[in-house]
Amino acid sequence: MEDFCRKEGIDYEICGKVIVAISEAELPALETIYQRGRTNGVSCEMINSEKLHELEPHVAGIKAVHVPEAGIVDYGQVCKRFAKHLQNNEDNQIHCSTKVIGIRHSERIVVETEQGEFEGRFLVNCAGLYSDKITAMTQPPESKIIPFRGEYYEVRPEKHYLCRNLIYPVPDPNFPFLGVHFTRMINGSLECGPNAVLAFAREGYTRSTVNFLELAEVLSYPGFIKLAAKYWRAGAGEMWRSFSKVAFVRALQRLIPEISADDLETAPAGIRAQAVLSNGELVDDFLIQANKNIINVCNAPSPAATSSLNIGKHIVDIVAERF
Ligand SMILES: Cc1cc2nc3c(=O)[nH]c(=O)nc-3n(C[C@H](O)[C@H](O)[C@H](O)COP(=O)(O)OP(=O)(O)OC[C@H]3O[C@@H](n4cnc5c(N)ncnc54)[C@H](O)[C@@H]3O)c2cc1C
């Protein structure tokens, strides 16, 4: 991705990140992250609080993992450049606002959309929040997408000095989410978040967006019922942080004690398409379900944007092998 951005003149910056342990209790999990990073060839260093304060003077923390190779990018520009490269070949077409509503398949595949039909030999489904719905058009999906909204705040410019780059807490290994963190964006803004609350619609980007059919499907899914029974306490905490800015700020203050509610303005939310198995297990890795001439990308969680070129290569390899 870094090579791609450099070649294409896309705005990016390798600014580094710190993953910060606040208490002794978090040190074993921090050590695991550090060892996993090293095993995977990530350049990272375990640093003490002195070095941490040199990098991020306003952070509370007793130890941290510093990842100097981590970076930020204008991902909108990346997507536009992907599209441009595709369109450079006149055989390729991109149809936006073209909802897939059905699929007929035998030797050839016919994709029915609201804008007419498209026919081809192979199909790759990477429909994110609706990837399970598209999968179900040709085979039973192994998992169901549960939408979790991640809400953010933007830090007012006068307080940008509180965070130089990227500051993360030690994540709870029971959840695939990273916990609220501080992210300096490539446009100079500073965001903090996200929490993780059940969205009442797959595209429920605000608290008031409700799709009763989609919500009923989630609430009656055995996997969700098992998940909710196990994690209701953590889920309730996240819901509380969604409604109470004070509670959200308290989570942020663990990392930067000086931050206050007055420093924050509500920012747009994102929705995580989280695949959940019927036994209640959260799928925390990539999940690809392929049949004869169809490849369904059923779970592509973060960092699927960062690793999109590699995931693309992986999918091309599967296509090449099968066809
Ligand atoms: C809050 C948040 C923060 C994140 N931060 C990071 C990060 O820092 N780094 C990182 O690497 N990743 C991050 N991610 C994850 C990353 O955004 C996703 O992993 C990635 O977008 C998944 O890509 P995808 O192509 O599988 O799905 P998507 O990007 O969701 O694309 C799916 C597409 O399918 C379309 N679609 C859906 N249904 C239909 C239909 N019926 N017909 C036609 N089209 C359809 C949708 O409109 C959409 O365009 C973040 C995600 C969230 C929610």
Side-chain angles (χ1 to χ4, degrees), residues 75 98-101 126-131 134 137 148 150 152 168 194 203 269-273 286 297 299-307:
Y75 205 75
T98 304
K99 185 177 175 184
V100 175
I101 49 177
C126 38
L129 282 161
Y130 288 91
S131 54
I134 304 284
M137 290 174 187
F148 286 99
Y152 286 88
Y168 285 69
E203 292 179 292
I271 311 258
R272 299 181 183 90
F286 300 105
V297 180
N299 198 44
S302 186
T306 310
S307 47

Side-chain angles (χ1 to χ4, degrees), residues 144 213-225:
K144 191 171 193 64
L213 199 65
E214 289 181 351
L215 181 59
E217 256 183 51
V218 168
L219 298 179
S220 59
Y221 178 56
F224 178 75
I225 295 167

Side-chain angles (χ1 to χ4, degrees), residues 44-236:
C44 55
E45 191 192 354
M46 186 68 91
I47 57 173
N48 59 21
S49 64
E50 223 163 70
K51 180 83 196 286
L52 172 64
H53 289 127
E54 272 171 32
L55 294 169
E56 293 288 354
H58 299 274
V59 164
I62 54 172
K63 228 173 173 186
V65 172
H66 178 220
V67 189
E69 287 179 340
I72 52 177
V73 65
D74 181 340
Y75 205 75
Q77 274 190 50
V78 173
C79 290
K80 284 186 188 136
R81 209 55 62 87
F82 284 168
K84 190 168 161 275
H85 276 278
L86 277 169
Q87 285 167 326
N88 282 346
N89 179 339
E90 60 184 28
D91 290 339
N92 297 332
Q93 295 170 8
I94 296 176
H95 297 269
C96 292
S97 302
T98 304
K99 185 177 175 184
V100 175
I101 49 177
I103 297 170
R104 302 196 303 276
H105 69 118
S106 53
E107 279 314 301
R108 290 185 71 77
I109 297 161
V110 179
V111 176
E112 299 160 5
T113 79
E114 288 177 338
Q115 314 291 333
E117 295 188 347
F118 298 86
E119 197 182 324
R121 280 192 296 159
F122 318 121
L123 172 71
V124 180
N125 153 26
C126 38
L129 282 161
Y130 288 91
S131 54
D132 57 342
K133 294 281 179 195
I134 304 284
T135 302
M137 290 174 187
T138 58
Q139 62 178 302
E142 286 169 19
S143 56
K144 191 171 193 64
I145 294 291
I146 307 287
F148 286 99
R149 191 175 52 254
E151 294 159 331
Y152 286 88
Y153 284 98
E154 197 170 321
V155 180
R156 287 185 208 282
E158 353 22 308
K159 291 297 174 91
H160 280 188
Y161 68 89
L162 290 176
C163 167
R164 288 186 178 162
N165 293 303
L166 309 173
I167 305 172
Y168 285 69
V170 176
D172 181 338
N174 289 318
F175 298 100
F177 309 140
L178 298 173
V180 289
H181 48 267
F182 290 82
T183 310
R184 183 165 65 79
M185 309 294 275
I186 197 81
N187 65 6
S189 63
L190 175 61
E191 285 192 351
C192 47
N195 56 3
V197 289
L198 178 69
F200 295 158
R202 292 203 184 207
E203 292 179 292
Y205 287 93
T206 64
R207 274 201 296 257
S208 56
T209 311
V210 184
N211 178 321
F212 289 102
L213 199 65
E214 289 181 351
L215 181 59
E217 256 183 51
V218 168
L219 298 179
S220 59
Y221 178 56
F224 178 75
I225 295 167
K226 286 176 191 141
L227 185 72
K230 197 165 166 199
Y231 295 119
W232 67 270
R233 202 184 286 273

